[in-house]
Amino acid sequence: MSIAALAESLGISTSTVSRALNGYTDVSAKTRARVETAAKAMGYQPHPVAHRLATGRTGAIALVSSVRTGNFLDATFAALLSGAAEALRDHGYFALSVVLPTGEDELSELSRFLDGRLVDGILLARTRTNDPRVTLLQQRGVPFITHGRTQFNAPHSWVDTDNEQAFFLATERLIGLGHRHIAFINGHPNMNFAALREQGFRRAIQAHRLDTSTCPVRHGEVSAASGEQIASELIASNSINTESESQITAILCATDAIALGAMAAIRGVGLTVGREISVIGYGNTEAGLYAEPPLTTIDHAIVDNGKHLADLLMRQLGGEPAPGLTRLEPVHLIARQSDGPPFTKSSRFEA
């Protein structure tokens, strides 16, 4: 079915049909409705190249992230893409996944992708405290929303989870259970989520006047392997500090993946997770739910984050001022069996 045949069947000009299908306001609402109804009934689909030329729109949005060390992308990216795709579908858009290399080729590859004009906007994931990708998008005038904020870039639109509050709540829970020597295994400090999570941890430590020297922060990859390695080092320090009053009794982890690795390290030396050393993660992943014991964690509704990213980008494409489009998502703690009161000589006797 060609546009000429559709126009002939309606008895109107091809240009009027084209403008009606592309939403031009100089065509009456009655005519647009008539054309759209006829096009649907006759199975007419506009040629994608012609449609792009007529509207200047590609009908696609890209979720862009940079691959981590070891060519690794976590489940967060897939969940964001799922949520964004669902919301974009309602606006007639497709969601594309674009993964950039990490390192010196990252910006040149992003620039090359933008040069192709393959999408109408960008959803940018895994923001850094100072993110050169954000600067590039602003310089190019590309509509974009970031998943996560930045600290040193010019104002822009974003959707973020309340990372600081999440780790304030998690630390408060451990302190409320009686822990005074809590270690925090975090992501790399240049990642903005990691910086905010550390702020929440330190705020709770300071509020309860705990000794920061006995509440160490360690940084690494947000992976189970990294979590296991760092937790093993922390457990080894317990062997050096034989006084029970100075031993680490709880490990707070920036992600569920790190927490699962930490749990493996604890079990590996014959200790019991949730009894001798407590563990809390972040992400509310399926793996954490079915861990042994089930992992206490923070839920961050990542699929909903993807939906809100898409919605805000659509509003931006509709003409709303970009820097004013922001959304901070709430979090809540899910208590399971991987944490409990500190293990003492008396509790060993009671066991």
Side-chain angles (χ1 to χ4, degrees):
M1 169 59 64
S2 68
I3 192 171
L6 176 61
E8 184 179 356
S9 71
L10 291 167
I12 55 180
S13 69
T14 301
S15 62
T16 299
V17 170
S18 175
R19 298 181 74 79
L21 290 173
N22 289 311
Y24 284 86
T25 56
D26 59 351
V27 179
S28 70
K30 183 178 179 180
T31 299
R32 285 203 306 272
R34 181 179 169 221
V35 170
E36 289 168 358
T37 299
K40 185 176 181 180
M42 300 174 71
Y44 170 76
Q45 292 290 334
H47 191 282
V49 175
H51 180 74
R52 181 174 177 177
L53 289 172
T55 64
R57 297 287 176 92
T58 67
I61 299 295
L63 175 60
V64 175
S65 188
S66 299
V67 70
R68 299 207 316 254
T69 302
N71 291 322
F72 179 69
L73 283 171
D74 59 30
T76 297
F77 187 79
L80 276 177
L81 183 63
S82 175
E86 182 179 343
L88 290 170
R89 197 175 299 120
D90 293 338
H91 297 276
Y93 272 89
F94 289 106
L96 308 181
S97 170
V98 176
V99 180
L100 302 173
T102 300
E104 60 183 19
D105 293 331
E106 181 182 42
L107 286 185
S108 61
E109 283 295 286
L110 176 57
S111 185
R112 187 168 71 89
F113 176 74
L114 297 177
D115 288 341
R117 299 182 181 180
L118 302 173
V119 296
D120 296 332
I122 300 289
L123 308 176
L124 185 66
R126 290 181 56 79
T127 52
R128 298 149 203 173
T129 53
N130 189 1
D131 202 317
R133 301 170 303 168
V134 170
T135 302
L136 177 61
L137 291 170
Q138 290 175 321
Q139 291 172 345
R140 297 288 292 267
V142 178
F144 73 98
I145 308 281
T146 63
H147 183 238
R149 289 161 283 175
T150 64
Q151 293 185 25
F152 304 110
N153 294 92
H156 57 87
S157 299
W158 51 262
V159 172
D160 201 3
T161 300
D162 197 344
N163 289 284
E164 181 178 348
Q165 182 64 11
F167 281 79
F168 179 81
L169 291 174
T171 310
E172 284 261 292
R173 174 176 172 81
L174 291 171
I175 293 172
L177 288 169
H179 295 277
R180 296 297 179 267
H181 302 286
I182 306 165
F184 179 28
I185 305 178
N186 201 3
H188 289 295
N190 69 319
M191 303 303 295
N192 202 61
F193 75 84
L196 291 171
R197 292 174 193 183
E198 185 169 337
Q199 286 178 23
F201 173 71
R202 294 193 182 279
R203 180 159 62 92
I205 295 298
Q206 183 178 11
H208 291 271
R209 299 181 180 179
L210 300 189
D211 185 351
T212 56
S213 67
T214 60
C215 296
V217 178
R218 299 287 184 267
H219 298 279
E221 293 295 327
V222 288
S223 66
S226 178
E228 182 176 18
Q229 178 184 343
I230 296 172
S232 295
E233 295 168 359
L234 292 168
I235 294 168
S237 72
N238 273 3
S239 300
I240 297 171
N241 299 320
T242 55
E243 291 292 331
S244 60
E245 291 79 8
S246 62
Q247 290 187 341
I248 291 167
T249 60
I251 301 176
L252 179 59
C253 302
T255 68
D256 280 5
I258 293 175
L260 293 172
M263 291 167 73
I266 293 166
R267 290 193 298 268
V269 295
L271 300 177
T272 302
V273 176
R275 189 160 176 263
E276 280 130 321
I277 299 181
S278 291
V279 177
I280 296 181
Y282 176 94
N284 191 25
T285 61
E286 185 177 38
L289 175 61
Y290 289 100
E292 181 53 45
L295 178 64
T296 295
T297 188
I298 300 286
D299 185 29
H300 61 163
I302 193 66
V303 173
D304 288 342
N305 285 190
K307 293 178 181 178
H308 296 143
L309 281 167
D311 288 341
L312 290 191
L313 185 58
M314 289 297 101
R315 288 169 56 185
Q316 188 180 139
L317 290 172
E320 292 192 40
L325 295 173
T326 61
R327 182 183 179 105
L328 185 62
E329 304 281 6
V331 294
H332 67 276
L333 188 141
I334 299 175
R336 298 192 181 117
Q337 289 77 54
S338 67
D339 63 336
F343 189 73
T344 64
K345 291 180 180 179
S346 60
S347 60
R348 182 185 295 110
F349 179 77
E350 292 167 2

